[in-house]
Amino acid sequence: FWDCSMQPLWSPTEAQISDAQLTRFRTWLVTQDSEYSFADYDSLWHWSTSDIRGFWEALRRFLAIDITTPAHSVVDTLTDIPGANWFSGASLNFAEALLKRRDSESAVIFRGENGRRYSLSYADLYQQTAKFAHYLKAQGVVAGDRVAGYMPNIPETIVAMLATSSIGAIWTSCSPDFGANGVVDRFGQTEPKILVTVDGYHYGGKKLDNRDKIPEILERIPSVKTVVVVPFLDLDVDLSNIPKAINWNSATANDVTEVEFAQLPFDHPLYIMYSSGTTGVPKCIVHGAGGTLIQHLKEHVLHTDMSASDRMLYFTTCGWMMWNWMVSALGAGSSLVLFDGSPFHPSASALWDIIEEESVTVFGTGAKYIAAIQSNGLKPAASHDLTKLRAILSTGSPLSPESFEFIYKDVKSDLHLASISGGTDIISCFALGNPTLPVYTGEIQSRGLGMAVDIFDDEGNSMPAGKGELVCTKPFPSRPLGFWNDPEGVRYHEAYFDHFEGVWAHGDYAEITAHKGLIIHGRSDAVLNPGGVRIGTAEIYRQVEKVSEVVDSICIGQPYEDDVRVVLFVVLRDGVELDDQLIAKIKTTIRSNTTPRHVPSIIKAVADIPRTKSGKIVELAVRNVVMGAPVKNVESLANPEALDNFKNIV
C-alpha cells in the first residue's frame, strides 16, 4: 500500500542540514575520534546501536550533562535490557539539569482557554522551585517519597515537579478530569505523602470545581499528609471542606532563594507513570532520572533541533507522558507555552491563535487533533501567520497519509512534520523525526539514535521487509527501572520480555520502509487475524478516513465460525445514514486500496467511540464489550459512556 518511490512532502535545505544540531553532533564526533566519521544518518544510527557505550558517553558529553562523580562504566551489560545499569557510580540531579538557565527570558508561558495569560522567567522558575522545595522538606519529604500532582497543565505543576525532583522525591501525576476512582487506582498504589491539586479548572467554556472530589480521595489514600491547593479559579478559594489543605500561596510564602539539589545516583527514581489501564488496574511504571534526562535531551536537541531560541507548545495533559517529555525541553534552554482546556474553545482555531500570538516554533499534538481540524475544514495557512512555526510533532496514534498531506497543503508547506512513536513504557520514542532527512507521506522518518529497533516475525527472526513486531534488541537508558510494588520484576518481565526472551517487545505492529523510516500499523494486541492473515487496524482506518461521510471509526476482530471476522464501527456526519450504498462505498474503498481480507464482514454505525484521556481509541475495551467480557478501570476513559454503544450490537 506504500509507494516507496514517492516524492518527499518536504526536504530540508542544505543550510538547514548544515545548521542542524544533529549535523553538529556528527562534526563534533570526528573531533573526539577520527573513527567517528559517518557519511549519513543511517551509518550514524548503526554505530549508535553497535557501539552502545561509545555512543551514550559521547552523547552525554555533547549535551553537557554534568555528573558530580565519575561513572564506573557507561553500561555494565550489552545483552540484558532490564538488568542493565547505566553510568553506575555517577551522580546528578534532574531538576538541576533543567534549571541551568536562570535569566529573565521566558521559561514558561501559560495560556488558558478563557484568555488568561501569565508567565515565569527562568529566574522566576528557579525561585519558585526553591520556595516549594523548602516547603516540601518542611513537611518531611525526603528522597524516595512520592509527591502526586492532580493538576492541569499550568506553570505551578512544573514548579511542583522540579521541587520534588530537586529533593530526590518521586513525582507522579494525572489530570483533574480524572474521577476519584481513577485517581485512587493510580495514586492509591504509589501512596504519595503530598498531594498537589487545584480548586478547579476550565474546559469547554465551563468552570469545573475540583474540591468536592478531594475529601473522598484523601479518605481512600491515607498516605497523604498534606494537600496543597493552587487557587486556579479563585484567589480567595475556600478550603474549609478539604482536610489537611493549605493554599499554594501560603506554602510558597517563604524567603528561600536557593535550591539545594540532592546529588543522586544516575538511576534514582524520578517519575511514576501509569499505563492506560483499560484492561485492568494501571501498571505503575518507574522511570529513572538520568535515563530520562539523556534520552529526552537527545530527542529534543538532535531529533527536534531545539535550542534557546525555540518556543514549544505541546497540547497535552499531565496524565499523558508527553507532558513529562515536553518539560524536559527546559534542559535545552527552550521556552514552553502551556495550554490547558479545550482546543476548540472559544473556537476551532484556539491553538492556532496561540501559536501565532506567542511565536511558537514547535507545535506538538496527537494525531487525533490533526484529523479533527482537517475534518472541520480548518485551514491555518489561510487564516494565521505561522512564519515562526518550523516543526509539528504528532503522536498518540499513527498519523494517516491524508493528515500528512493536509499539514503541507493547509497548515504550512515549509516545515518539519515529525510523526513520533514510543510510549509511557519508555517515556520517550523508538522512532521519531529527523531534521536532516526528507518527510514521506505516512512514514516516521527514522529510528532513534541509540535505539536498536528491529522488526521480528512470530518466531523472533529479524525481518528486512514486511510487517511484524516492533522490538528493541539492546539496552537503552530510558527503559523502566521496573513496576512499583513488583519487587521480583515478574509483571515487568511479562509486560515486555515474555514474547522474545531478552528482547523488548513493544506491542506495536510495524514495518521498516525503503527510506529506513517506519510505519506503525497499530497495536499488535489489536491486530486482526481473518483466515490466519495478520492485519493492522491502522491499515483499515487509513482507508475509512477517505470516506467523507465517516468522521471516526474503530475496528475489532470477532471470533466467528472457527475464524475471526472483521467488524467495523463508524461514526457518521450529522444527517448521514448507514444505508446499503454507504456500506458498499466503505467496503469498496477498503478493498481497492488494501486486500479483500481487510474488508469488514460487518459495518455498524455508533454515536461515539471510547477513547483514553490522551485521545487513544480502545479497541480491546470495545472487543470486550462486544464479547460480553468486563472492561476494567473505565475511569481511564474520557468518555466511558461510549462503551454502551457496543452492547448487543453484533
Side-chain angles (χ1 to χ4, degrees):
F1 318 126
W2 304 92
D3 179 8
C4 292
S5 66
M6 70 179 82
Q7 293 298 308
L9 290 168
W10 173 83
S11 294
T13 65
E14 288 300 321
Q16 287 171 323
I17 293 172
S18 63
D19 289 343
Q21 294 185 85
L22 183 55
T23 302
R24 294 176 188 173
F25 177 56
R26 283 171 53 189
T27 303
W28 176 85
L29 284 171
V30 177
T31 69
Q32 307 302 301
D33 190 324
S34 59
E35 293 185 2
Y36 290 169
S37 179
F38 307 104
D40 53 24
Y41 181 79
D42 190 51
S43 59
L44 176 65
W45 178 82
H46 276 285
W47 167 72
S48 75
T49 56
S50 57
D51 185 2
I52 297 288
R53 294 187 176 98
F55 166 72
W56 288 104
E57 171 58 16
L59 179 68
R60 183 194 68 78
R61 289 188 283 115
F62 179 78
L63 295 173
I65 296 176
D66 298 325
I67 52 178
T68 53
T69 53
H72 305 317
S73 65
V74 175
V75 62
D76 58 2
T77 175
L78 298 178
T79 57
D80 183 8
I81 295 177
N85 296 302
W86 289 87
F87 294 96
S88 297
S91 299
L92 52 69
N93 187 279
F94 183 83
E96 186 174 21
L98 266 57
L99 290 171
K100 281 185 177 180
R101 186 176 179 183
R102 300 175 192 174
D103 57 25
S104 60
E105 292 298 316
S106 295
V108 184
I109 301 165
F110 174 73
R111 293 292 300 265
E113 69 160 40
N114 64 337
R116 184 181 179 191
R117 183 189 190 277
Y118 66 101
S119 65
L120 295 177
S121 69
Y122 266 91
D124 294 334
L125 185 61
Y126 179 83
Q127 293 290 323
Q128 288 294 312
T129 299
K131 293 178 182 300
F132 195 62
H134 175 78
Y135 173 78
L136 291 177
K137 286 188 282 189
Q139 298 303 303
V141 175
V142 298
D145 283 344
R146 278 75 61 207
V147 176
Y150 185 30
M151 293 285 284
N153 183 24
I154 59 177
E156 288 84 353
T157 313
I158 295 177
V159 171
M161 182 280 289
L162 291 171
T164 299
S165 59
S166 74
I167 299 169
I170 305 170
W171 175 259
T172 187
S173 63
C174 69
S175 52
D177 55 340
F178 276 81
N181 288 334
V183 175
V184 173
D185 283 346
R186 288 158 175 78
F187 299 162
Q189 296 186 72
T190 53
E191 300 179 301
K193 181 177 286 187
I194 305 292
L195 177 65
V196 185
T197 189
V198 285
D199 55 341
Y201 59 100
H202 298 270
Y203 196 87
K206 298 178 181 177
K207 287 186 176 181
L208 300 168
D209 198 312
N210 208 44
R211 290 172 296 172
D212 291 344
K213 293 182 282 187
I214 305 303
E216 179 185 352
I217 291 169
L218 293 177
E219 185 176 344
R220 297 171 64 185
I221 309 180
S223 63
V224 176
K225 305 303 181 187
T226 307
V227 181
V228 182
V229 182
V230 177
F232 188 53
L233 294 183
D234 183 1
L235 290 176
D236 297 319
V237 59
D238 180 6
L239 302 180
S240 59
N241 70 323
I242 303 178
K244 314 174 187 177
I246 183 174
N247 190 300
W248 169 274
N249 295 327
S250 299
T252 55
N254 57 66
D255 297 328
V256 175
T257 59
E258 297 295 329
V259 184
E260 296 178 7
F261 295 107
Q263 299 306 308
L264 302 156
F266 189 86
D267 271 348
H268 183 79
L270 170 71
Y271 292 135
I272 298 177
M273 314 286 291
Y274 303 95
S275 65
S276 58
T278 54
T279 56
V281 176
K283 298 188 293 287
C284 304
I285 306 169
V286 185
H287 286 290
T292 300
L293 178 65
I294 195 169
Q295 181 80 308
H296 283 187
L297 289 185
K298 178 200 76 177
E299 294 178 347
H300 285 304
V301 174
L302 300 187
H303 286 278
T304 315
D305 204 31
M306 295 197 68
S307 67
S309 63
D310 280 302
R311 284 188 171 188
M312 172 186 277
L313 166 60
Y314 213 109
F315 174 49
T316 181
T317 72
C318 300
W320 190 19
M321 63 141 286
M322 296 313 300
W323 181 86
N324 307 72
W325 187 88
M326 168 195 72
V327 172
S328 294
L330 293 169
S334 305
S335 301
L336 304 180
V337 179
L338 309 182
F339 173 81
D340 196 79
S342 168
F344 299 104
H345 184 85
S347 71
S349 66
L351 291 183
W352 300 98
D353 295 342
I354 296 171
I355 291 169
E356 177 181 348
E357 292 163 7
E358 300 295 348
S359 298
V360 168
T361 61
V362 179
F363 171 50
T365 186
K368 175 63 179 174
Y369 172 77
I370 294 174
I373 62 170
Q374 180 182 1
S375 177
N376 288 339
L378 202 65
K379 298 183 178 182
S383 57
H384 291 75
D385 179 2
L386 303 178
T387 305
K388 297 289 187 180
L389 185 66
R390 64 169 184 81
I392 291 180
L393 315 180
S394 170
T395 191
S397 58
L399 187 65
S400 72
E402 291 74 22
S403 289
F404 271 82
E405 291 163 6
F406 163 74
I407 291 294
Y408 285 103
K409 178 176 180 289
D410 291 322
V411 178
K412 192 178 183 183
S413 60
D414 182 22
L415 57 69
H416 178 206
L417 172 59
S419 179
I420 65 179
S421 181
T424 301
D425 315 79
I426 64 167
I427 203 170
S428 58
C429 304
F430 279 126
L432 68 169
N434 187 316
T436 67
L437 294 179
V439 174
Y440 291 92
T441 300
E443 297 186 20
I444 301 173
Q445 285 177 287
S446 62
R447 290 172 279 187
L449 289 175
M451 308 300 279
V453 172
D454 202 351
I455 305 297
F456 276 12
D457 64 18
D458 288 342
E459 284 70 47
N461 301 308
S462 178
M463 300 174 62
K467 304 165 192 170
E469 292 279 348
L470 188 152
V471 300
C472 191
T473 60
K474 295 181 181 179
F476 53 96
S478 65
R479 60 87 178 94
L481 302 180
F483 291 167
W484 195 256
N485 292 329
D486 182 29
E488 302 300 321
V490 174
R491 293 173 60 219
Y492 176 41
H493 189 278
E494 288 175 350
Y496 309 113
F497 302 101
D498 260 7
H499 201 160
F500 308 111
E501 186 61 37
V503 172
W504 179 288
H506 195 54
D508 280 342
Y509 189 53
E511 68 175 306
I512 297 173
T513 73
H515 306 121
K516 307 296 177 65
L518 265 79
I519 299 168
I520 307 294
H521 293 287
R523 295 292 296 169
S524 55
D525 56 9
V527 163
L528 311 173
N529 199 25
V533 178
R534 299 187 80 195
I535 295 171
T537 53
E539 300 173 57
I540 295 176
Y541 299 145
R542 288 183 179 120
Q543 305 312 318
V544 177
E545 287 170 359
K546 298 176 181 178
V547 180
S548 60
E549 293 88 346
V550 177
V551 297
D552 207 353
S553 63
I554 192 168
C555 193
I556 66 166
Q558 182 188 32
Y560 184 73
E561 295 183 352
D562 298 323
D563 198 355
V564 174
R565 66 180 180 183
V566 179
V567 182
L568 175 68
F569 301 99
V570 294
V571 178
L572 303 174
R573 294 192 183 279
D574 291 343
V576 175
E577 292 185 7
L578 186 64
D579 54 21
D580 291 343
Q581 184 176 356
L582 181 53
I583 290 174
K585 179 179 180 180
I586 295 171
K587 289 186 174 184
T588 299
T589 302
I590 295 171
R591 181 182 289 109
S592 300
N593 295 287
T594 56
T595 74
R597 289 284 188 188
H598 290 72
V599 178
S601 299
I602 296 175
I603 302 177
K604 293 282 187 178
V606 293
D608 195 11
I609 287 172
R611 293 181 177 273
T612 65
K613 293 181 185 295
S614 59
K616 298 178 182 179
I617 59 175
V618 286
E619 293 153 325
L620 295 182
V622 168
R623 189 172 71 186
N624 283 354
V625 172
V626 169
M627 296 175 64
V631 177
K632 300 177 181 178
N633 194 29
V634 294
E635 284 277 347
S636 66
L637 300 178
N639 55 339
E641 67 282 354
L643 289 172
D644 294 337
N645 295 318
F646 302 90
K647 294 178 179 178
N648 305 314
I649 193 171
V650 291

